[in-house]
Each structure stands twice: as C-alpha cells, then as structure tokens.
Amino acid sequence: MLRVAVVGSGPSGVYAAQTLAQQREVPGVRVDVLDRLPAPYGLVRYGVAPDHEKIKSLQGSLRTVLEDERIRFLGRVEVGGEQLSTGRLLELYHAVVYCVGAARDRLLDIPGEELAGVHSATAFVSWYSGHPDACAEEFGLPGVSSAVVIGAGNVAVDVTRILARGVPELSPTDMPQPALGALAASGLRTVAMVARRGPSQGKFTTKELRELGTLPSVDVLVDPAELALDPAYADPAAAAALPAAARRNLEVLRGWAERGPADGRRRIALRFHLRPVEVLGGPDGRVRAVRFERTLPDGLGGVTGTGTYEDLPAELVLRSVGYRGVPPAGLPFDSAKGTVPHAAGRVLRAGRASVGEYVAGWIKRGPTGVIGTNRPCAKETVSSLLQDAGALARRDLPGDPLDALRAAGLRPVLWPGWLAIEAAESELGRSLGRGSVKIPDWPGLLEAAGAETV
C-alpha cells in the first residue's frame, strides 16, 4: 500500500487526491487530505463570492471525491508548526503533496497606506466569506458612504459588486450574519473601481464585468474620455489585435459610457488611467480620499505619469493589485517567483529532487489560472509521484498516521465532524429565516464539529 498525504483541501488538493485514488498503475493507494481548517474546499468555500452560486456548486463535485473510501479528510491539522513539521509528516507517509495557496496580497507602497480604513481585498473577501481567521476584522462599514477599490481583476470586480449589492440580494446567500449586517448598515452610495492602465488591459473576465450592470438600483458609470485614452478604443486595427476577451470588455464598457447615468440608489464608477500615489487621511487617522495621478500609455504596454492629479473621496479603500508568494514553513522557496522550486511537481532542495515531496496548485505555478487550471497541474504532479512509487513504497511506516497526529496533541476534525458543521450551518440559516449560513469563527466551527468527532 502506498500512503500519501495531500496538504490542502481546495481544488488542487482534491484533484490530486482524486487522481491518486482513481489511477490503476499502483494498486492500494490510500490518501489523507489534510487541511489547517476544520472545513474543506479551500477557496471554493472561502474565496468564491457568496452570490456566485454556480461556481460554489463545485463543492458538490469536491465532496464526491472526499467521500471516496480510499480518501480520508483530516481537518484542523496545521503542517509546519511545532506539533507537525514537514519532516515529521514525511515520516508518517510515503509521499506528501503540498497543495497550498502560498500567496498574500501585494501592497501599494504609497504614503498613507497604513491609515485606518485601508485594507486588502483578500481580507475583505475572507471576511464576507466567513473565514474563521477573518471573523474579527473591522472594516468600519456602518456610516461609510464612499469606497475605492484599486485594481482591475476579477477580485476587484467581486468586492465592488458585493459592496454595491443590496441586502435583499445577499440575504439568500451563505454570507455570515455579521458581515450581512455590517453591509446593511453601511449607507454606501458610491464605489469607484480604479485601474492604472486602460480598459483593454483589464484582467477581469467579461462575464464578471457584465454582472455589474445587472445589479438592481445600481448605475454603472464610465467616462468616455478615459476610454478614449486607450489606443484600442477608437482604432479598429488596434482593437482587432486584442484577445477576444479584451475586445468584449471594450464593447461592454462602450455601452455603459454611451448610456450615461440613470437614477440608481448606488453608483459604480469604473475609472481608468489613474495611478494611486497617496492615501489622504483626516484628523481622526482614517482615510478620507485617495490621490491618483493621470497616466497615459507609454507605447510599450505600460503607462507613464502625466503630473496631473485627482482626489477621489473614500471612507473605505480596498487594494487588489495582485499577490506575492509566502514561503511555506519547512519547504524551499523561490522568493523571486513566489513558488517552491520543483521539477514536474517534484520538490527541489539544493537543485535535487527531495524524495517523497511534491507540490501542486499555486505553490507550484504561482497565483495564476482559474479553478479548472488546477486539474492538469495536479495530474502532472501525481504522474511524477507514480513514477517514483516503486522506490517510495519500500519504506516502512509506523502505523496509522491519525494515531501519531493525536499523540502529538492534534485533534483532527474527521469527515463526520465536517458534516456536523454543515448541519449546524443549515440550522443557523433556518433560525435566521435564510438558507444555510456560514459559521464564521473558530469556536463556533469546533463546537459544531462536536467533541466526539474530533
């Protein structure tokens, strides 16, 4: 029997476990999927916007994999700490596949970024998605009337949409009750999503972009003069050279620019060619505005400053300008690439393959791609592992790893514990007159899991 640990229960981890369990080259493979959290599914549970039900329904497919008799879920197990080092984990399994995100948001690196009211979009997403590490976050939403989101990717679009949505549309989702209540009390009137480059260089998908125009009682405002700064906007030849998605985005924006404002209760302003240079604060130490410099295309795919500035009012600022890699404890790390060095998924230590250690997902390739990108990524890694299986399986193991984890003081949440959390979230939703509602804090999750299943 080949015993494998997969660290991380998001899509990349589940796809790796599925590929291992379903392959026929090496019989008798058993997989333990470990996660620091007591709940599985990674960013599908804690990163996909609550109003994106179609994407969140992927949890059903991930559930089917984790219920396979050859796969065991062990939640509430943190790898890399005092209780369970990467070295100790490798003593308990023939092979370990690390499928962790390894990314945090990038900073703007401008004056005033430390002011109260300035946050990362990543933290905001974690908060409204019910991540237990984010339940104590304070975004000061009650009384906020204006917000600025800096970035031009799908995460920026997501947080803009959530801020502009009304409570009636969010109430049917699984958003935690505290987050729903804070958004209801915000009084938000204007959300500006600001990009330093032009619309043809936006990283958002057309589907996400179009959603902004479907929000009830929300106007989407686009300045035609800013669109005109993009060479592809008025030049058919330049537009034809763009990828199809960029051309579609331009047409959506063109339609909004030509339509003009209506009379919505809230407004989303999509701004382009503005580079943040300073966050301005008031005497209370909170953000009151963001100063931007007007930019123009430099002809090389980037932009250059013009020396002209504009201040946008903001009582809340969310930055969404990309991610930076975080070195995982106990593994080598390439700080320039933000990934673990590897060869086809095999972890490299000092340039040589580390026997039994593998990576998949963001920690392998960086924060790129969509959910589906994780499947071929995981398959490549598992293929490397299976090629090594003959040598790996020769090593004797000490017994059931679960016994060793408990002996080290860990109390893993098993699959029945997760099912108990699901049941508790359904009951919480019923008590609030809603559907299933996430439990957003560690004590609540562990209490729901139940001592007898931990």
Side-chain angles (χ1 to χ4, degrees):
M1 180 185 297
L2 184 70
R3 184 179 292 157
V4 180
V6 172
V7 181
S9 66
S12 62
V14 174
Y15 292 150
Q18 181 182 37
T19 306
L20 282 163
Q22 293 181 350
Q23 57 79 35
R24 296 292 179 263
E25 303 167 47
V26 180
V29 175
R30 292 293 182 268
V31 183
D32 283 351
V33 177
L34 283 55
D35 202 293
R36 186 178 69 85
L37 300 175
Y41 311 139
L43 286 179
V44 176
R45 175 175 166 88
Y46 289 120
V48 174
D51 58 344
H52 276 179
E53 289 298 328
K54 184 175 182 180
I55 303 176
K56 290 177 71 66
S57 68
L58 178 62
Q59 292 184 24
S61 300
L62 303 182
R63 169 194 287 273
T64 300
V65 176
L66 293 176
E67 288 181 335
D68 189 303
E69 62 181 5
R70 296 161 292 188
I71 298 173
R72 179 170 61 176
F73 174 70
L74 302 178
R76 198 191 178 193
V77 176
E78 184 168 6
V79 178
E82 294 182 2
Q83 293 176 297
L84 185 61
S85 66
T86 54
R88 176 55 176 159
L89 186 63
L90 194 54
E91 293 174 359
L92 303 177
Y93 295 89
H94 292 112
V96 180
V97 184
Y98 292 93
C99 303
V100 293
R104 292 178 183 167
D105 65 286
R106 294 182 182 275
L107 296 173
L108 298 171
D109 289 327
I110 59 176
E113 192 171 6
E114 75 288 347
L115 288 170
V118 181
H119 305 271
S120 75
T122 304
F124 191 65
V125 169
S126 294
W127 172 73
Y128 68 59
S129 297
H131 196 294
D133 290 344
C135 68
E137 290 279 358
E138 294 289 343
F139 292 94
L141 285 170
V144 168
S145 62
S146 59
V148 167
V149 179
I150 300 173
N154 278 345
V155 174
V157 174
D158 273 350
V159 298
T160 297
R161 188 184 66 256
I162 292 296
L163 284 169
R165 264 204 190 282
V167 171
E169 296 95 60
L170 292 173
S171 185
T173 73
D174 63 0
M175 180 181 286
Q177 191 68 17
L180 185 66
L183 287 166
S186 71
L188 198 65
R189 296 285 299 173
T190 303
V191 185
M193 191 181 95
V194 188
R196 65 184 179 88
R197 298 196 292 180
S200 67
Q201 296 168 309
K203 300 300 183 182
F204 40 71
T205 59
T206 308
K207 180 179 180 297
E208 293 264 0
L209 182 65
R210 282 177 175 150
E211 279 188 275
L212 297 179
T214 66
L215 303 181
S217 301
V218 175
D219 293 335
V220 180
L221 308 179
V222 181
D223 186 346
E226 289 185 345
L227 296 186
L229 296 176
D230 192 316
Y233 182 69
D235 183 350
L242 293 173
R247 293 198 302 270
R248 290 193 297 267
N249 289 343
L250 278 177
E251 289 311 305
V252 172
L253 293 165
R254 187 191 305 273
W256 286 334
E258 293 174 350
R259 184 180 61 188
D263 57 354
R265 289 183 293 106
R266 296 182 178 182
R267 291 187 171 187
I268 294 174
L270 301 181
R271 304 295 306 273
F272 297 96
H273 284 293
L274 291 173
R275 177 169 58 197
V277 294
E278 185 177 1
V279 180
L280 307 176
D284 58 354
R286 291 193 59 85
V287 58
R288 62 174 179 82
V290 182
R291 178 161 294 164
F292 292 88
E293 182 183 16
R294 171 66 64 195
T295 66
L296 291 174
D298 62 5
L300 302 173
V303 292
T304 184
T306 64
T308 301
Y309 299 90
E310 179 179 350
D311 294 349
L312 294 185
E315 295 154 295
L316 172 68
V317 176
L318 299 176
R319 62 176 181 270
S320 181
V321 291
Y323 298 94
R324 58 184 176 86
V326 178
L331 291 179
F333 188 70
D334 184 331
S335 57
K337 296 181 178 179
T339 59
V340 169
H342 70 92
R346 295 180 178 92
V347 172
L348 299 178
R349 292 184 181 271
R352 301 182 61 181
S354 177
V355 177
E357 293 186 304
Y358 304 84
V359 286
W362 275 11
I363 195 144
K364 173 185 175 184
R365 66 180 191 274
T368 61
V370 295
I371 290 175
T373 311
N374 291 293
R375 191 179 291 277
C377 175
K379 284 185 175 180
E380 180 192 51
T381 295
V382 170
S383 177
S384 295
L385 190 159
L386 294 175
Q387 292 171 22
D388 304 337
L392 296 173
R394 296 192 190 106
R395 183 165 56 90
D396 292 332
L397 299 181
D400 188 345
L402 183 56
D403 295 332
L405 296 179
R406 285 172 170 155
L410 295 167
R411 295 294 179 265
V413 172
L414 307 182
W415 193 250
W418 159 241
L419 296 181
I421 291 173
E422 277 193 319
E425 292 183 337
S426 294
E427 178 57 35
L428 174 60
R430 281 192 294 271
S431 71
L432 296 169
R434 300 172 58 193
S436 180
V437 172
K438 283 179 183 171
I439 298 171
D441 59 278
W442 278 99
L445 288 169
L446 297 180
E447 180 182 359
E452 72 279 2
T453 59
V454 178

